[in-house]
């Protein structure tokens, strides 16, 4: 249901599943690919950038690991949103998510590359980024997420998504503890993405692997793409203190940094509570949409809705957080019409 990249203005109308006749494709298509800009805090965004632009840039280069005030704001946000107390870790600001991964793995393994176990399936972007840094082996998953007991022999790094597995699973605490034990016993590193938020306040909180494992064997990478915008080009890494010096040297050797103004603006957005407030607002907005999707697709007993609580899915994957209620209803009508056309059994109305 995504717009075809090659479609041109003036293209002939085409039929849409479940409709009796042709309609204009430009009116019928609903794009289910893009992240949400709903309830974007535009006034706070503009104010933060305005204040940052009024501050004179420093005479010297900013610290390689990022402005101290931004690093402190990121640490405070992780503490408030995820309960993470970063004893034994340092926050490093980077120009992007891929840069954060590269800095961690190159500081740990040098130019030789690592042997990385990545939960399978995994987001394609994460797989591609890690494949540029070492050899990636699949780590099997099931309904509870990645299987720590099946980490391939010889792996130096295990990359897992305990909160948003590709099959929609949240890893139970027992498996998180098992991953921490693997790292401690093998001398390996557990690498955990720090998603902006689950946007579901009804999910019971579970401790991060970072909180359960030893500081020297756990790391985290994250950004504010989901909460703010993917165009921000600012990410962060939470790294063991023993690696922080090597990472800073790697940044000084050529890894770019976000601009001084960008770092100040994001510090402002975090310190003012704007980012946390947006996560709370999206939780409310997504809750109603989540219930609507469950109602529409739950009518088909031969289907299983994955990732509705965490925002991840496999099979037919679609995003709906950016849609207004009327457009979401239209998208679900087209989707259920297609399922009906393929004669999927539907529960009869009560």
């Amino acid at each position: 249901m995504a717009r075809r990249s090659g479609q041109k203005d003036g293209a002939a109308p085409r039929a849409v599943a479940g409709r009796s006749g042709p309609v204009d494709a430009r009116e019928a298509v609903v794009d289910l690919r893009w992240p949400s800009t709903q309830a974007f805090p535009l006034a706070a965004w503009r104010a933060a950038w305005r204040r940052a632009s009024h501050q004179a840039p420093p005479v010297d280069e900013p610290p390689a690991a990022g402005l101290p005030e931004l690093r402190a704001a990121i640490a405070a946000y992780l503490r408030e949103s995820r309960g993470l107390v970063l004893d034994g870790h340092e926050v490093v600001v980077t120009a992007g998510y891929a840069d954060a991964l590269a800095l961690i793995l190159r500081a740990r393994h040098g130019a030789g590359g690592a042997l990385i176990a990545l939960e399978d399936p995994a987001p394609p972007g994460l797989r591609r980024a890690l494949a540029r840094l070492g050899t990636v082996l699949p780590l099997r998953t099931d309904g509870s997420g990645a299987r720590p007991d099946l980490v391939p022999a010889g792996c130096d790094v295990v990359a897992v998504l305990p909160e948003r597995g590709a099959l929609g699973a949240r890893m139970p605490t027992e498996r998180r503890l098992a991953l921490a034990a693997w790292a401690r016993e093998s001398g390996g590193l557990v690498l955990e993405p720090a998603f902006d938020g689950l946007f579901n306040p009804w999910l019971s909180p579970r401790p991060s692997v970072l909180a359960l494992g030893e500081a020297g064997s756990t790391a985290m990478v994250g950004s504010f793409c989901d909460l703010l915008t993917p165009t921000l080009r600012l990410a962060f890494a939470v790294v063991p203190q023993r690696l922080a010096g090597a990472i800073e040297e790697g940044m000084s050797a050529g890894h770019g940094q976000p601009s001084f103004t960008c770092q100040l603006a994001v510090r402002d957005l975090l310190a003012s509570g704007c980012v946390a407030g947006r996560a709370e607002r999206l939780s409310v907005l997504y809750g109603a949409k989540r219930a609507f999707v469950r109602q529409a697709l739950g009518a088909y007993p031969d289907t299983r809705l994955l990732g509705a609580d965490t925002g991840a899915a496999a099979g037919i994957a679609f995003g709906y957080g950016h849609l207004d209620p009327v457009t979401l209803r239209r998208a679900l009508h087209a989707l259920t019409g297609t399922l009906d056309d393929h004669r999927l059994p539907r529960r009869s109305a009560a």
Side-chain angles (χ1 to χ4, degrees):
M1 284 191 287
R3 184 183 299 276
R4 295 181 179 179
S5 60
Q7 184 177 340
K8 298 180 180 179
D9 290 342
R14 63 175 177 84
V16 175
R19 302 293 181 90
S20 58
V23 295
D24 190 331
R26 291 169 295 182
E27 296 179 0
V29 168
V30 178
D31 196 329
L32 299 177
R33 298 171 298 175
W34 303 115
S36 177
T37 57
Q38 194 171 18
F40 187 81
L42 186 57
W45 173 266
R46 287 173 172 169
W49 282 90
R50 183 170 58 252
R51 286 190 290 268
S53 66
H54 288 170
Q55 185 164 332
V59 177
D60 298 325
E61 289 287 335
L67 295 177
E69 53 266 47
L70 173 58
R71 297 165 64 190
I74 292 172
Y77 178 75
L78 292 174
R79 182 173 61 252
E80 293 164 8
S81 64
R82 299 173 62 96
L84 280 177
V85 178
L86 300 182
D87 292 338
H89 288 88
E90 296 285 348
V91 175
V92 176
V93 178
T94 72
Y97 198 89
D99 270 5
L101 291 171
L103 287 164
I104 292 172
L105 294 184
R106 288 172 181 161
R108 181 179 169 87
H109 297 283
L115 188 60
I116 306 164
L118 172 63
E119 72 172 64
D120 183 35
L126 178 60
R127 179 178 294 278
R128 287 193 297 269
L130 290 174
R132 289 192 288 267
L133 301 168
T135 301
V136 176
L137 299 178
L139 174 58
R140 283 176 53 189
T141 59
D142 59 20
S144 296
R147 293 275 304 271
D149 57 317
L150 297 179
V151 174
C155 283
D156 310 296
V157 177
V158 172
V160 292
L161 298 89
E163 296 296 343
R164 282 188 183 175
L167 293 178
R170 292 183 73 212
M171 184 182 290
T173 302
E174 292 76 15
R175 290 199 180 180
R176 301 175 191 225
L177 286 166
L179 278 171
W182 169 86
R184 182 174 60 253
E185 294 165 5
S186 68
L189 179 76
V190 177
L191 186 59
E192 177 184 351
F195 287 104
D196 295 12
L198 293 175
F199 307 129
N200 191 342
W202 295 279
L203 289 178
S204 59
R206 294 175 184 170
S208 163
V209 179
L210 207 74
L212 296 173
E214 294 181 352
S217 61
T218 55
M220 179 178 281
V221 291
S223 71
F224 301 102
C225 291
D226 291 348
L227 285 172
L228 296 175
T229 169
T231 65
L232 191 59
R233 304 303 181 198
L234 183 146
F236 62 89
V238 180
V239 301
Q241 286 179 344
R242 62 183 178 81
L243 290 181
I247 287 174
E248 290 190 41
E249 289 180 8
M251 298 184 78
S252 301
H255 281 270
Q257 263 194 335
S259 71
F260 174 76
T261 303
C262 177
Q263 293 190 50
L264 285 178
V266 175
R267 184 279 314 267
D268 190 307
L269 291 167
L270 287 166
S272 67
C274 174
V275 175
R278 176 157 167 78
E280 293 176 5
R281 176 62 175 153
L282 288 178
S283 295
V284 174
L285 292 172
Y286 289 171
K289 297 178 184 182
R290 187 181 297 114
F292 191 38
V293 171
R294 284 186 180 280
Q295 180 183 10
L297 300 182
Y300 299 89
D302 290 346
T303 66
R304 189 157 59 103
L305 192 59
L306 301 174
D309 292 329
T310 62
I316 299 176
F318 62 96
Y320 55 87
H322 60 298
L323 301 180
D324 61 83
V326 173
T327 307
L328 176 57
R329 185 180 297 274
R330 183 158 59 90
L332 289 171
H333 177 72
L335 181 56
T336 55
T338 301
L339 297 178
D340 291 338
D341 288 345
H342 287 78
R343 302 185 184 280
L344 250 68
R346 180 194 277 262
R347 291 188 178 93
S348 58

